[in-house]
Amino acid sequence: MGMRPLFHPKVEDITVEGILHALSDPVRVAIYAGIVGQDCSHNCSTFLTVSDKTIPKSTLSQHFRALREAGLIRGERRGVEMHNTSRCPEVEQRFPGLLGAIVNAHTIQSKDEARAKRSGAKRPVRRPAKNT
Amino acid sequence: MGMRPLFHPKVEDITVEGILHALSDPVRVAIYAGIVGQDCSHNCSTFLTVSDKTIPKSTLSQHFRALREAGLIRGERRGVEMHNTSRCPEVEQRFPGLLGAIVNAHTIQSKDEARAKRSGAKRPVRRPAKNT
DNA sequence: TCAATAGTTCCGCAATAATGAACAATTGAA
DNA sequence: TTCAATTGTTCATTATTGCGGAACTATTGA
């Protein structure tokens, strides 16, 4: 079986559920934040490890697919590697303020976690870890 | 086994992932929107059907639990039934603008869907349905 | 032509989610 | 008190989704 062509939803087909689901995963937000951060491109292998955890490339591939199919990023094959860009403007047009609020919330949380870690507190994580 | 006491995370333990995950489910956003809408209370059985689909009560119970444990709502036993209130203010304090943006985005999407339905278009749903 | 590089797909197993059935808790009536 | 009705929860089973190793595809450069 060959590789199927990359699917990208049209702006009007992007759903809130899709976006929330895509960004409810720590690895995916990390990836997404990375892509949004440097608004230029970004290829996959930049994200081989997220928060001290090595993500297998097959898993990474799936995560990128999830982000793509949620309409959050646009992927383009550039020779042997991928060129990923954020679709922020489009999403912003459809759901104003949504992405900003999410990214912002994540920033807040990261700072909190950093502070908690420094003070040695072991905050219980609500969303149960998926595997060990 | 008796019924365990209802668990509610402290504000500072509420996570973005938790919130996004909780609200990435159509049934749960519907429930949550209902509770936020009439800012007074709301009991479970008001939500027996969501978008032409009857949700079994055991499933509903789990959904309420998910919302509770994500820190989105507060549940209180009032005799035989439940009294659910939104924890909006608290969440707003921790993640300003987040809930507003999500609810707003959902409103936009609902209107789009209604318009699409009127014009008879069958828009593909990106986030695949979980069952059937 | 072939090795190296970068991602993707396939597939088995693990983790999550849905839900019917049995159960628990509270209320009100007899 | 005792019991039926009501409301929600828990358990057990099944279905769905997600992870990740191994094999594969596609492209580039030597």
Side-chain angles (χ1 to χ4, degrees):
Chain A
M1 257 120 259
M3 286 150 101
R4 33 198 126 155
L6 304 178
F7 172 79
H8 294 92
K10 284 178 290 185
V11 200
E12 61 266 29
D13 289 338
I14 296 177
T15 68
V16 197
E17 301 95 307
I19 290 180
L20 297 193
H21 177 252
L23 296 181
S24 70
D25 182 284
V27 176
R28 283 194 296 258
V29 256
I31 294 173
Y32 182 71
I35 292 176
V36 171
Q38 26 268 261
D39 59 5
C40 57
S41 70
H42 238 313
N43 68 345
C44 276
S45 32
T46 313
F47 300 102
L48 282 173
T49 65
V50 172
S51 62
D52 296 337
K53 202 174 189 318
T54 297
I55 315 290
K57 61 177 183 169
S58 62
T59 305
L60 261 189
S61 181
Q62 303 289 13
H63 282 318
F64 274 89
R65 184 152 91 106
L67 290 171
R68 263 197 328 265
E69 303 200 341
L72 287 168
I73 65 176
R74 190 174 292 283
E76 197 186 344
R77 285 189 222 280
R78 287 259 175 109
V80 77
E81 59 188 36
M82 275 297 250
H83 184 254
N84 293 293
T85 46
S86 118
R87 289 181 68 182
C88 260
E90 291 170 87
V91 178
E92 175 68 17
Q93 175 205 319
R94 178 154 165 69
F95 300 125
L98 182 59
L99 292 181
I102 294 176
V103 170
N104 180 244
H106 231 274
T107 307
I108 292 172
Q109 180 172 305
S110 300
K111 285 179 185 164
D112 276 13
E113 281 171 355
R115 192 161 37 67
K117 181 174 262 180
R118 266 200 308 287
S119 71
K122 268 259 172 65
R123 289 245 150 277
V125 174
R126 257 308 93 217
R127 174 101 193 278
K130 334 201 123 157
N131 55 346
T132 25
Chain B
M1 248 124 257
M3 286 149 101
R4 32 193 148 205
L6 304 178
F7 172 79
H8 295 92
K10 284 179 288 184
V11 200
E12 61 265 31
D13 289 338
I14 296 178
T15 67
V16 198
E17 301 96 308
I19 291 180
L20 297 194
H21 177 252
L23 296 182
S24 71
D25 182 283
V27 175
R28 283 193 295 259
V29 257
I31 293 174
Y32 182 72
I35 292 176
V36 172
Q38 25 269 260
D39 61 4
C40 56
S41 70
H42 239 315
N43 68 344
C44 277
S45 33
T46 314
F47 299 101
L48 283 172
T49 64
V50 172
S51 64
D52 296 337
K53 204 172 185 322
T54 297
I55 315 290
K57 61 177 185 171
S58 61
T59 306
L60 263 188
S61 180
Q62 304 289 19
H63 282 317
F64 274 89
R65 184 152 92 106
L67 289 172
R68 260 194 334 260
E69 303 200 341
L72 287 167
I73 65 176
R74 190 174 291 284
E76 196 187 343
R77 285 190 222 279
R78 287 262 176 105
V80 76
E81 60 188 37
M82 275 296 250
H83 184 253
N84 294 293
T85 47
S86 118
R87 289 181 69 182
C88 260
E90 291 170 86
V91 179
E92 175 68 17
Q93 174 205 321
R94 180 154 164 70
F95 302 125
L98 183 59
L99 292 181
I102 294 177
V103 170
N104 180 243
H106 229 274
T107 306
I108 293 172
Q109 179 172 305
S110 301
K111 285 179 184 164
D112 276 15
E113 281 171 355
R115 192 160 38 64
K117 181 175 260 181
R118 267 200 307 286
S119 70
K122 268 263 173 66
R123 289 241 150 281
V125 173
R126 257 307 93 218
R127 174 101 194 277
K130 336 202 118 158
N131 55 351
T132 30

